[in-house]
Amino acid sequence: MIRIGSRSTGRPTLNEVAKLAGVSPITASRALRGISTVAPELVEKVRAAAQSLGYVANPAARALASSCSQTVVVLVPSLSNQLFIETLEAIQDVLRVRGLDVLIGNYHYSPEEEEKLLRNHLVNRPRGILLTGFDHTAASRQMLETSGIPCVHMMELDTRLGAYCVGFSQQQAGAEAAHHLLGRGRRRLAYMAAQLDPRVLQRGEGFRRVLESAGLFDPALQVSTRQASSIGLGGELFARLLDQHPDVDGVFFCNDDLAQGAALEALRLGVAIPERVSLVGFNDLPGSAHMVPRLTSIRTPREEVGQRAAQVLLGLLDGISQHPQVDLGFELVVRESS
Amino acid sequence: MIRIGSRSTGRPTLNEVAKLAGVSPITASRALRGISTVAPELVEKVRAAAQSLGYVANPAARALASSCSQTVVVLVPSLSNQLFIETLEAIQDVLRVRGLDVLIGNYHYSPEEEEKLLRNHLVNRPRGILLTGFDHTAASRQMLETSGIPCVHMMELDTRLGAYCVGFSQQQAGAEAAHHLLGRGRRRLAYMAAQLDPRVLQRGEGFRRVLESAGLFDPALQVSTRQASSIGLGGELFARLLDQHPDVDGVFFCNDDLAQGAALEALRLGVAIPERVSLVGFNDLPGSAHMVPRLTSIRTPREEVGQRAAQVLLGLLDGISQHPQVDLGFELVVRESS
DNA sequence: TTGTATGCGTTATCAT
DNA sequence: ATGATAACGCATACAA
């Protein structure tokens, strides 16, 4: 007895395509997946049949049968930071042409939330995973390990374990900012840090070391808060800093929105930039080039990071052996504020 | 002959849970899904068994068997506009607690790209769909229709067809800006529009009508470009406008980044804001309150839109009858620039 | 190179 | 209220 299942989606199945093409379902499957063992003429027949029926493979069935999906999971700490949006776009541009769907997860700078996202996503057996940085919970690392799913870390570099990573040295970037300010003759240098994620701390570390070597490091000028980075916060912190330490003559900000806020606050306070204080931002976010004065910043290669990370992942999926670390560097963009 | 399938994921299955609990798989399935026809004691047994085995349902199998997933698709025109990020966050906050996974699609303001995303996502049988606005291709509308998947439109209102929507009147918002500027005694009013998506056009329409009623509409002062909205663009367009029409005394911007760019450019040009020109932005994006001068803007309820849209969708899934249109209004925030 | 048999893990159907 | 059976649509393993 033949029953038309009410559960069916109504969409044509591989079976129907195969029937129309006069081959077995498995041959149709192979043909459509581009598996070389199928005769070219059969491939053509199957393609035509699929085309005429409007066949689209059922991802659930495919995932169930093969126990792996056509998705790649990307976990970022924030979507409010324009930085990661640009990285995500680049990732999608690369993976989309390979037929991979990109699933975005935002863990709001919380490793615990990242762990939850990872757990939720792993049950779907993604083809690959792209993570931001190396600051994951032990459970996250464990899950990644046992899942065996290819993973690439973005934004930071790390030579431990041979983990695949695409990024740049956050510490060197911080050092570069310090060198630049010193080169401008600045001596009372502050670091202004919000969010305090690992990369912010690394930049601060690089900045500190250079100042220490120069004998100019003053812990009192290290402003840090766990609050989220924002323009408003940058203004507040900058005003307070100048109030408490009027002799400050240079500030490195962990992110451009802080620097933008500081520049605007300086306008209000009548503090001359860069004459009295030099400002150096980080990431070179969209608005920075248009501030008054235009902000000096360290441009980070976020699109390139996304693109290369996605490419490395594809290489992993294709079994291509490649160097685990990709250093994309960064670029100091000198404008009017320093 | 028993074979340990090499295809298995190694994770415990419903079968194993059922066995451990001493019930049939289907009872275990019902128990875990909270279907009421299962005896409380059995539910407890099954829960315990699942717990001890660390059982997590396989979404692919579930989707295949039930021909519907636990995902909701959200399509937005941009991720670069902070606006939509906040909406997305609100949506996720609501849907996550119901165990629904949110899939984000960015169609870059292209209805054709939206159509592709829709087509790709529909094969996964999402539980619901959240779209931005009403500007979809005929094919998109057709697919939505035949899919029968619940859909809520965000950001705009429309009484046609009884489509579910959560938003506010873009046209009224544009009108409000005009009224405000007129109330400030401004007479040579410009509208500066980028991107030219439907909502930008609606705001311009509302703005225009008020000016026409007042006999003050001047087409020469309507600046519009398809380019993406940005701070840099705002500065450029503003400078050009002032150059060509030195008598302009008020500008309404379709988005705050344009207004921010204009404010910065005014600083450079030495144009007094608001003395010579009043500026009114739109969306009240993060930086606007900190500009010099602080920008007047129309605050749009994007978090509320996301939250309510998600709630309406949940209502639809639960078969709760509700009013198809939810008007969340907007708020003129008067600061220093007008 | 192609096909047969079977399994993936879950839920719908229908019977009890 | 619970269970037996089949089906969801596709891919793997192995045979031919």
Side-chain angles (χ1 to χ4, degrees), chain A residues 198-333:
Chain A
R199 290 165 295 288
V200 165
L201 298 178
Q202 289 165 40
R203 298 195 287 266
E205 177 71 5
F207 188 75
R208 181 179 64 72
R209 288 198 187 173
V210 171
L211 295 194
E212 279 179 348
S213 297
L216 292 171
F217 180 71
D218 181 352
L221 301 188
Q222 311 306 301
V223 180
S224 69
T225 169
R226 294 211 171 163
Q227 290 178 69
S229 188
S230 74
I231 291 182
L233 181 64
E236 276 178 47
L237 295 180
F238 183 70
R240 199 182 309 160
L241 176 70
L242 279 192
D243 186 56
Q244 296 175 355
H245 303 278
D247 61 333
V248 163
D249 60 9
V251 186
F252 174 44
F253 298 86
C254 74
N255 199 37
D256 263 7
D257 49 5
L258 291 182
Q260 291 172 11
L264 293 168
E265 189 64 21
L267 282 175
R268 288 203 173 77
L269 297 174
V271 171
I273 308 293
E275 291 75 11
R276 177 171 159 197
V277 187
S278 284
L279 267 33
V280 175
F282 195 84
N283 278 328
D284 195 19
L285 296 183
S288 293
H290 304 284
M291 282 292 125
V292 176
R294 302 182 193 280
L295 296 180
T296 291
S297 189
I298 291 184
R299 188 188 141 70
T300 52
R302 57 264 197 178
E303 304 93 344
E304 294 85 342
V305 167
Q307 184 181 53
R308 292 297 301 272
Q311 287 168 344
V312 168
L313 181 64
L314 289 180
L316 255 30
L317 294 181
D318 294 341
I320 296 172
S321 107
Q322 42 195 339
H323 193 75
Q325 281 98 37
V326 179
D327 184 352
L328 261 22
F330 51 82
E331 181 193 3
L332 176 69
V333 180

Side-chain angles (χ1 to χ4, degrees), chain B residues 2-42:
Chain B
I2 296 174
R3 217 176 35 191
I4 303 298
S6 64
R7 292 149 68 188
S8 153
T9 62
R11 285 187 294 131
T13 70
L14 189 60
N15 239 310
E16 307 178 42
V17 173
K19 220 164 278 177
L20 184 57
V23 299
S24 76
I26 186 62
T27 298
S29 171
R30 286 172 181 141
L32 292 174
R33 279 181 296 159
I35 288 183
S36 53
T37 67
V38 180
E41 35 179 287
L42 283 190

